Amino acid sequence: MTNVVETLDWLIAYWPDLLDARLPMATPRPWQQSEVSATVRAERDAQARVERIERSTFGLGQSPAPVDVSVLQTALDVMVRADDLAAELTEWSIAPPPAPPAHGQLDARPYLEHIRALLLEEQRDLEDEPGPWAALAEPTLTRMYEQVARCLAMLYTGQTVRVVCPWCHGVDVEHPAGGAWTWRVVELPGGQVAIICTGVCEPPLREVGTWWGGQPCWPLRDWEKLAKLL
């Protein structure tokens, strides 16, 4: 229950930052390299070529969007999920449901705060024991947290470090010839952030911070040393 309420508090606190990030004058978010397969990359290239051919002088693509569309879509998705979850939990409560969003409204906080109040009420009724509402809400809230955190570049796990490993030379299953980016940023248990090489890698023991899942691993404290080696 504590984790669910903390997730709600986090979403409520960072909602203004999410909305600010959609505006052109917002501080640019840290860019993260996304990994796509060769097939997906080819499909995207083909689609882009078709769009360039079909685009006319009056096409919508001729002018930049006034907002960051990906951030706007994230905000809309979260608001819809919050509205749906609030309505679902209200069916099991005597509390009045929150009003539906007005035209042009983009604020998920009333629904998140409503969910929070219902869960705290359930917690009091059950004398701090976890209840069915919390179990029902947790997957949706986790999904919303991941959406917002990823949009604000606050989700570390999965980031690619754009270098070729000096010990395995970027050799992995998908790139047997080498040259791939095999380093990933991961969040280990306890909140420790580290870099792990996912390739066929056996660096000298003196160069490895530790090992995780059979792969060489460099916790944050070793990153300065790792940078000098590169």
Side-chain angles (χ1 to χ4, degrees):
M1 169 62 89
T2 301
N3 290 337
V4 173
V5 173
E6 288 178 350
T7 300
L8 281 163
D9 290 340
W10 189 93
L11 288 167
I12 293 168
Y14 277 99
W15 184 257
D17 295 299
L18 179 64
L19 294 188
D20 287 346
R22 82 192 194 280
L23 301 174
M25 68 285 296
T27 301
R29 291 169 289 138
W31 182 72
Q32 297 182 9
Q33 173 69 23
S34 59
E35 289 294 298
V36 297
S37 65
T39 302
V40 173
R41 189 178 298 110
E43 291 175 353
R44 290 181 180 178
D45 290 345
Q47 183 180 5
R49 286 194 292 272
V50 171
E51 289 176 352
R52 284 198 298 271
I53 293 172
E54 294 180 345
R55 184 177 298 165
S56 68
T57 305
F58 304 101
L60 292 176
Q62 296 302 111
S63 300
V67 296
D68 188 317
V69 178
S70 64
V71 178
L72 179 60
Q73 186 61 57
T74 297
L76 290 171
D77 286 348
V78 171
M79 192 171 75
V80 170
R81 291 177 191 273
D83 183 22
D84 290 345
L85 182 59
E88 186 175 4
L89 294 180
T90 302
E91 293 179 0
W92 301 86
S93 169
I94 61 173
H103 180 70
Q105 177 185 355
L106 191 60
D107 192 356
R109 288 174 294 183
Y111 311 103
L112 296 171
E113 290 166 354
H114 183 78
I115 295 168
R116 187 181 187 278
L118 291 176
L119 294 181
L120 290 176
E121 178 185 349
E122 179 188 47
Q123 186 179 25
R124 287 191 297 269
D125 292 342
L126 297 177
E127 297 181 352
D128 294 335
E129 291 294 325
W133 292 354
L136 176 66
E138 186 172 14
T140 301
L141 293 175
T142 299
R143 171 62 179 156
M144 289 193 287
Y145 162 75
E146 291 175 350
Q147 282 184 280
V148 176
R150 186 174 292 108
C151 193
L152 295 177
M154 298 173 68
L155 204 61
Y156 302 111
T157 297
Q159 271 186 259
T160 299
V161 182
R162 302 182 64 194
V163 299
V164 175
C165 176
W167 297 290
C168 72
H169 305 291
V171 177
D172 60 14
V173 176
E174 294 185 359
H175 302 81
W181 297 326
T182 55
W183 284 6
R184 302 287 183 271
V185 179
V186 297
E187 187 171 354
L188 303 178
Q192 183 174 205
V193 179
I195 289 174
I196 290 180
C197 182
T198 61
V200 185
C201 193
E202 294 185 3
L205 292 179
R206 66 178 182 277
E207 309 294 3
V208 183
T210 184
W211 294 79
W212 183 262
Q215 296 296 125
C217 172
W218 294 272
L220 188 60
R221 64 176 182 273
D222 297 326
W223 285 10
E224 183 176 356
K225 174 185 175 183
L226 193 61
K228 290 178 180 179
L229 288 172
L230 294 176

